[in-house]
Amino acid sequence: MGCGMGKSEVRAALLIQRWYRQYVARLEMRRRCTWNIFQSIEYAGEQDQIKRPLPSISGFHAGSLISHIFRVNEICRDAEWERYFCYESIEVPDSYTGPRLTFPMTFCGVSKVVQAFKHKQQLHARYVLQLLRETWRLLRILTNISHVSTCHTKEITICGDLHGHLEDLLLIFYKNGLPSSEKPYVFNGDFVDRGKNSLEILLILFGFLLVYPNDVHLNRGNHEDHIVNLRYGFTKEVLGKYRVHGKKILNLLQKIFSWLPLATVIDHKVLIVHGGISATTDLNAIARVDRHKYVSALRPPNMLMQYVYYIIYTSPLSSVLTMTDSSTQIVDVLWSDPMPQNGCIPNEVRGGGCYWGPDVTEEVLGRHNLQLLIRSHECKQDGYEFCHNRRVLTIFSASNYYEMGSNRGAYIRMGPDLVPHFIQYQASQACRELTLRQSVGWTERSALRALREQLFVHKSDLISAFQEFDPNNTGKISLSHWASATESVLKLGLPWRVLRPQLVSSTQYGMVDYQMWIRELSITEPKLQISDTSILETMYKNHSNLETIFRVIDTDHSGSISFEEFRQTWRLLCSHLKTEISDEAIADLAHSIDFNKDGSIDINEFMEAFRLVDLSAHA
Amino acid sequence: MAGRKQSADVHQKIRAAFDAFDYEANSTVDVREIGTIIYSLGCFPSQKDLHDFIAKVEEDHTGYIHLDKFLPAMTKVLQEHKFPPISEDLLLQAFEALDKEKKDYLDPEELTKYMTQEGEPFTQEEMEEMLTALADHRNQIHYKDVVSQMTIKPDK
């Protein structure tokens, strides 16, 4: 080879570079759209918001089940709680190969726990209860706001949402070191829900808290709330892992969550809270509240009614709830999100807290003489993001949150100069080996599937909207009309024109055959023979609520319920949705779902039965 | 008549791509995303083409580009087919020109040399990504297969 390249090689290289950069950019565009899909679906809630007044409930059997589960929570005196934590009678058999703990907790002990979880072992219920009791005792004496200083040139590590992603926590410990007095940590809430190792994460964090109470700081997140847990998977996880003691563990955690501190302040200059602030946020007021009285954001006047209301309706916070000043302060700090525009408006998407603007940031930080607000609560593609002129910093530590390859996680290291330094990562070996194309493809398939489900759920509204653009009933409308009709129904703010190639295959000369398209969306597993197909739409609309109700009714956590219980559930749902569904249709459905014909319905099979076939898998 | 409808369509297409990167919903995007937006609209500008385009539409070195300037400029680009796609044949010829030994594939070292030293060179990150994407299990880049797999058909 000569020392210089000939002209033809240079031209060839230029061409290939140009081609490849275009290819990568196309993928990046798809990634961005996929991201938008996940975000908009997550924040818009999974179904339509149903805002109707709660009708009276009479002769309703689920009520007794619910109060049975929650009766224990009326114990509020400490002595009784101490007895309730009683674990001494629980024997640990010789056959148990997991870690055996002694208390007070030591560094050795918690390291053993970390190692055990790394090797997928389970901690015995006795040790879980013991650990939780010690944690509760400690949390009770902590103040609402933890004050931390960076003197002695200590660098502090700040982590955001973990959501049960044990891999990410272990990765952080691997890269950054375990917590210790030389290595203080702040964990900013949302330790649980969604991921499959929420309990392991809690036990590890509580363990380190017990060993280094002055150097490990936990802030409460909006998911440290037992009612939210019912919906987003933590309750299910605990009951699945601890069949005998699960309920007790959950009741104790409910108490513990209410005792978690609400905020951390570093050097009187950096405020760390899970959600954010509102125009009325007042740290002095927050410091004075009895935080443990706020067990759940959904604390109702009447626990039973509120619980049912929550299950049936999608909005996590009810308008029935009467908010006091103290509860507003807490809810704001746990649920709010920043927005680019000035002002402070209610956060209707989340159902609680507010959206706050850069002017509110300046005012609140100024009033408290603070220079930076660090919060979490929202997933960010690179694991972190600044806004409001770099006065607000979002940190999110659960990588691959939506799907493998969707985003990186990150944590912050901060020294006495209070300048944040970021370390990003992406858990999962397999994920790192994926090419850009594969990881975009994977995430995209998942997002598109979620989107198709949304479209299917709204199919009647979509057809009506399309027909408005098709007065002559030709069955076809233009692409622009398709895009604006779809947006008017779904209101997700997505770039439909850009997504079109992935969603609509049947176009010709710029026109969409919308009837055919809707038919294509409706293809489901041909498992169910049902006389009334409108049931399907209602099912999909209430997909996650159904699961929650089933799990409550399945009191022995066996994973299946009787036909009669199924019928009752369905009746309850329909009466609140003011939908007419005949007993016959429900019976039909129940029988067709009973795949093994044993007279009971397996919850998992039921939920599986309603997954839409992924059309792209056949493309 | 048809011309007007067509340009309304073109405007919508451009707006949709622009909106995907308009994070603050105020009709501006970061200048560093402009390349992605233009590529995603089916164009194949070179880096120089991009620089020239950006110079015309950027808001005085703020690092932002406003839709008001982007829309007419991009419409012109699309209507005049300024940065046309590269056909599969041309691409194949380009790879063949680099495959001196006519072995029907390139070694990673060969490709790296050309991509990082000639033309509008790749960064190390870009190069690593390309190798991960194109090299097969034998660590060879069989460009004929690669080209047909990776050519994205333009939108109708």
Side-chain angles (χ1 to χ4, degrees):
Chain A
M1 210 47 204
C3 48
M5 312 252 176
K7 271 184 78 177
S8 63
E9 282 93 351
V10 174
R11 271 207 313 271
L14 269 170
L15 201 83
I16 295 173
Q17 285 155 348
R18 195 152 57 97
W19 163 74
Y20 193 74
R21 283 176 168 131
Q22 204 269 4
Y23 176 74
V24 168
R26 294 293 287 261
L27 285 181
E28 177 54 33
M29 179 57 109
R30 279 165 61 187
R31 193 222 293 276
R32 179 105 285 275
C33 290
T34 304
W35 182 260
N36 288 344
I37 294 174
F38 277 127
Q39 293 248 292
S40 65
I41 292 182
E42 178 179 29
Y43 296 140
E46 290 157 281
Q47 299 93 327
D48 298 284
Q49 299 280 353
I50 309 167
K51 291 184 175 78
R52 291 179 210 154
L54 184 67
S56 62
I57 303 173
S58 53
F60 151 75
H61 84 299
S64 53
L65 298 172
I66 293 165
S67 23
H68 167 71
I69 295 174
F70 287 98
R71 192 179 313 136
V72 173
N73 300 327
E74 276 141 39
I75 301 175
C76 54
R77 286 184 294 282
D78 289 349
E80 286 174 353
W81 270 106
E82 286 269 8
R83 276 204 301 283
Y84 190 64
F85 274 104
C86 123
Y87 53 83
E88 284 92 348
S89 53
I90 304 177
E91 287 214 5
V92 182
D94 289 335
S95 54
Y96 170 70
T97 53
R100 291 168 188 265
L101 304 179
T102 57
F103 289 82
M105 186 65 112
T106 60
F107 180 75
C108 227
V110 67
S111 312
K112 269 200 293 197
V113 171
V114 175
Q115 284 309 309
F117 290 158
K118 229 189 247 183
H119 297 112
K120 314 225 191 291
Q121 290 178 314
Q122 192 164 297
L123 188 62
H124 195 276
R126 181 208 170 95
Y127 299 126
V128 173
L129 292 170
Q130 218 173 341
L131 203 159
L132 291 182
R133 184 184 79 164
E134 295 309 306
T135 305
W136 172 63
R137 280 177 165 174
L138 171 58
L139 289 176
R140 283 162 65 205
I141 60 180
L142 296 181
T143 51
N144 296 345
I145 303 180
S146 310
H147 287 277
V148 183
S149 98
T150 57
C151 61
H152 315 310
T153 62
K154 264 198 269 201
E155 274 204 335
I156 297 185
T157 308
I158 302 159
C159 300
D161 293 26
L162 287 165
H163 280 301
H165 286 218
L166 182 59
E167 256 186 348
D168 286 309
L169 183 60
L170 294 176
L171 191 54
I172 295 173
F173 286 164
Y174 176 73
K175 289 169 91 76
N176 196 53
L178 294 173
S180 69
S181 25
E182 311 325 313
K183 196 149 284 189
Y185 272 79
V186 177
F187 292 95
N188 200 14
D190 278 12
F191 317 123
V192 302
D193 280 332
R194 299 192 195 272
K196 18 189 230 17
N197 295 106
S198 300
L199 188 56
E200 284 76 14
I201 291 198
L202 275 187
L203 295 172
I204 292 176
L205 296 183
F206 291 160
F208 279 110
L209 176 69
L210 289 173
V211 181
Y212 300 108
N214 297 318
D215 302 293
V216 172
H217 307 275
L218 306 180
N219 283 346
R220 189 176 183 185
N222 64 308
H223 278 259
E224 275 70 57
D225 178 329
H226 67 289
I227 297 202
V228 176
N229 297 150
L230 271 165
R231 188 160 178 209
Y232 288 102
F234 181 48
T235 309
K236 180 167 144 186
E237 180 189 320
V238 174
L239 294 175
K241 288 177 176 167
Y242 292 93
R243 312 225 102 183
V244 177
H245 300 283
K247 264 206 300 251
K248 196 177 203 181
I249 293 176
L250 285 172
N251 286 330
L252 295 173
L253 280 171
Q254 187 188 321
K255 191 104 181 112
I256 285 177
F257 286 163
S258 74
W259 277 106
L260 285 169
L262 300 168
T264 301
V265 177
I266 303 182
D267 290 348
H268 304 288
K269 284 281 161 217
V270 177
L271 172 63
I272 311 177
V273 288
H274 175 73
I277 54 176
S278 75
T280 53
T281 293
D282 177 357
L283 289 183
N284 295 320
I286 291 177
R288 288 192 304 262
V289 303
D290 279 333
R291 69 181 190 271
H292 69 281
K293 292 212 171 118
Y294 300 92
V295 177
S296 166
L298 295 88
R299 201 71 180 127
N302 178 336
M303 177 63 147
L304 171 62
M305 299 288 275
Q306 185 57 30
Y307 181 76
V308 173
Y309 189 97
Y310 172 74
I311 291 196
I312 303 294
Y313 294 74
T314 58
S315 172
L317 291 184
S318 158
S319 50
V320 170
L321 183 61
T322 46
M323 300 284 260
T324 63
D325 280 342
S326 314
S327 50
T328 314
Q329 289 282 339
I330 296 182
V331 171
D332 282 347
V333 139
L334 260 39
W335 288 78
S336 301
D337 292 307
M339 64 175 177
Q341 305 85 5
N342 280 337
C344 189
I345 55 179
N347 191 327
E348 308 227 299
V349 165
R350 301 241 193 212
C354 68
Y355 283 118
W356 88 89
D359 55 339
V360 175
T361 298
E362 286 311 309
E363 197 275 314
V364 172
L365 290 186
R367 202 175 355 112
H368 293 98
N369 220 350
L370 298 162
Q371 73 190 38
L372 176 65
L373 167 62
I374 298 180
R375 44 88 66 174
S376 304
H377 200 38
E378 285 178 301
C379 182
K380 295 294 174 194
Q381 188 146 11
D382 290 316
Y384 73 95
E385 190 174 277
F386 278 105
C387 67
H388 294 189
N389 292 321
R390 294 180 79 91
R391 298 273 265 166
V392 174
L393 169 57
T394 302
I395 183 73
F396 195 86
S397 302
S399 68
N400 306 326
Y401 178 62
Y402 291 122
E403 178 56 84
M404 186 124 92
S406 68
N407 66 290
R408 293 199 270 185
Y411 60 90
I412 300 169
R413 289 204 51 121
M414 185 180 271
D417 60 359
L418 301 181
V419 172
H421 299 278
F422 305 98
I423 295 88
Q424 298 161 299
Y425 52 84
Q426 202 151 18
S428 165
Q429 181 73 8
C431 170
R432 275 193 292 279
E433 281 161 10
L434 289 178
T435 63
L436 177 61
R437 176 171 170 233
Q438 283 169 318
S439 81
V440 167
W442 205 304
T443 324
E444 190 180 51
R445 264 195 291 281
S446 200
L448 288 173
R449 184 163 156 197
L451 192 53
R452 277 193 213 100
E453 280 180 17
Q454 286 297 299
L455 290 166
F456 175 73
V457 156
H458 291 94
K459 116 183 134 147
S460 349
D461 290 336
L462 281 170
I463 295 197
S464 312
F466 294 147
Q467 278 169 343
E468 281 187 36
F469 286 111
D470 183 21
N472 300 328
N473 236 335
T474 62
K476 297 191 182 13
I477 52 173
S478 74
L479 276 174
S480 337
H481 287 157
W482 171 82
S484 59
T486 306
E487 176 57 26
S488 73
V489 171
L490 259 66
K491 302 198 216 310
L492 289 175
L494 290 173
W496 296 103
R497 300 274 322 229
V498 179
L499 293 170
R500 199 272 312 157
Q502 322 282 1
L503 293 171
V504 185
S505 52
S506 44
T507 65
Q508 231 189 7
Y509 313 117
M511 303 291 278
V512 178
D513 181 337
Y514 59 88
Q515 299 280 11
M516 175 142 73
W517 181 58
I518 296 278
R519 271 200 305 276
E520 278 172 7
L521 275 181
S522 313
I523 297 173
T524 64
E525 295 275 328
K527 279 188 195 167
L528 307 172
Q529 273 84 48
I530 341 179
S531 51
D532 181 352
T533 52
S534 71
I535 245 189
L536 277 184
E537 261 195 67
T538 316
M539 294 290 238
Y540 275 106
K541 275 199 168 113
N542 293 282
H543 194 270
S544 62
N545 286 340
L546 280 179
E547 179 167 356
T548 309
I549 298 173
F550 282 151
R551 297 215 175 268
V552 168
I553 292 179
D554 176 24
T555 46
D556 60 0
H557 314 298
S558 61
S560 63
I561 57 177
S562 70
F563 276 12
E564 182 52 27
E565 286 166 329
F566 174 74
R567 206 182 65 78
Q568 291 268 15
T569 306
W570 200 246
R571 280 259 135 259
L572 183 64
L573 184 64
C574 290
S575 75
H576 287 286
L577 297 176
K578 303 247 170 47
T579 318
E580 291 297 313
I581 295 206
S582 67
D583 264 357
E584 196 196 320
I586 298 179
D588 257 2
L589 186 56
H591 283 287
S592 65
I593 291 169
D594 180 15
F595 298 123
N596 56 5
K597 304 293 168 233
D598 67 352
S600 70
I601 293 167
D602 182 292
I603 287 177
N604 293 319
E605 281 195 300
F606 178 80
M607 302 315 288
E608 260 308 304
F610 288 91
R611 298 238 251 157
L612 283 172
V613 164
D614 184 355
L615 289 177
S616 70
H618 299 286
Chain B
M1 203 65 77
R4 209 170 2 177
K5 181 177 189 297
Q6 240 177 22
S7 66
D9 250 9
V10 162
H11 284 171
Q12 287 224 3
K13 225 169 99 165
I14 296 173
R15 242 193 221 100
F18 189 90
D19 281 348
F21 291 90
D22 179 8
Y23 303 133
E24 300 197 4
N26 59 1
S27 299
T28 62
V29 305
D30 190 318
V31 68
R32 289 165 293 184
E33 315 267 33
I34 281 294
T36 309
I37 298 176
I38 297 180
Y39 283 128
S40 80
L41 289 164
C43 302
F44 284 71
S46 66
Q47 301 294 83
K48 178 170 189 313
D49 293 329
L50 277 179
H51 278 297
D52 293 342
F53 183 91
I54 289 174
K56 284 198 286 247
V57 300
E58 189 181 0
E59 299 282 330
D60 302 322
H61 312 293
T62 52
Y64 282 99
I65 293 184
H66 201 282
L67 183 60
D68 292 343
K69 288 211 179 131
F70 182 72
L71 189 58
M74 194 65 222
T75 308
K76 198 154 177 276
V77 161
L78 287 179
Q79 284 172 343
E80 293 174 11
H81 304 288
K82 266 204 178 141
F83 310 128
I86 300 172
S87 69
E88 254 186 62
D89 298 327
L90 262 181
L91 193 52
L92 264 174
Q93 278 177 37
F95 274 108
E96 281 163 5
L98 302 184
D99 179 12
K100 294 287 170 206
E101 294 158 35
K102 302 289 161 239
K103 15 186 229 312
D104 270 358
Y105 66 84
L106 290 172
D107 293 315
E109 299 77 36
E110 277 180 281
L111 187 57
T112 303
K113 183 177 63 180
Y114 289 114
M115 294 293 103
T116 57
Q117 291 177 21
E118 287 302 323
E120 293 174 328
F122 276 176
T123 62
Q124 200 194 351
E125 211 184 314
E126 281 178 302
M127 196 63 234
E128 275 168 20
E129 223 296 318
M130 188 188 216
L131 288 177
T132 324
L134 302 189
D136 65 9
H137 58 277
R138 292 162 289 184
N139 212 21
Q140 294 164 350
I141 293 116
H142 286 258
Y143 48 83
K144 293 198 173 114
D145 301 331
V146 156
V147 165
S148 55
Q149 266 171 39
M150 288 170 77
T151 312
I152 301 176
K153 306 279 176 280
D155 287 338
K156 286 188 280 286

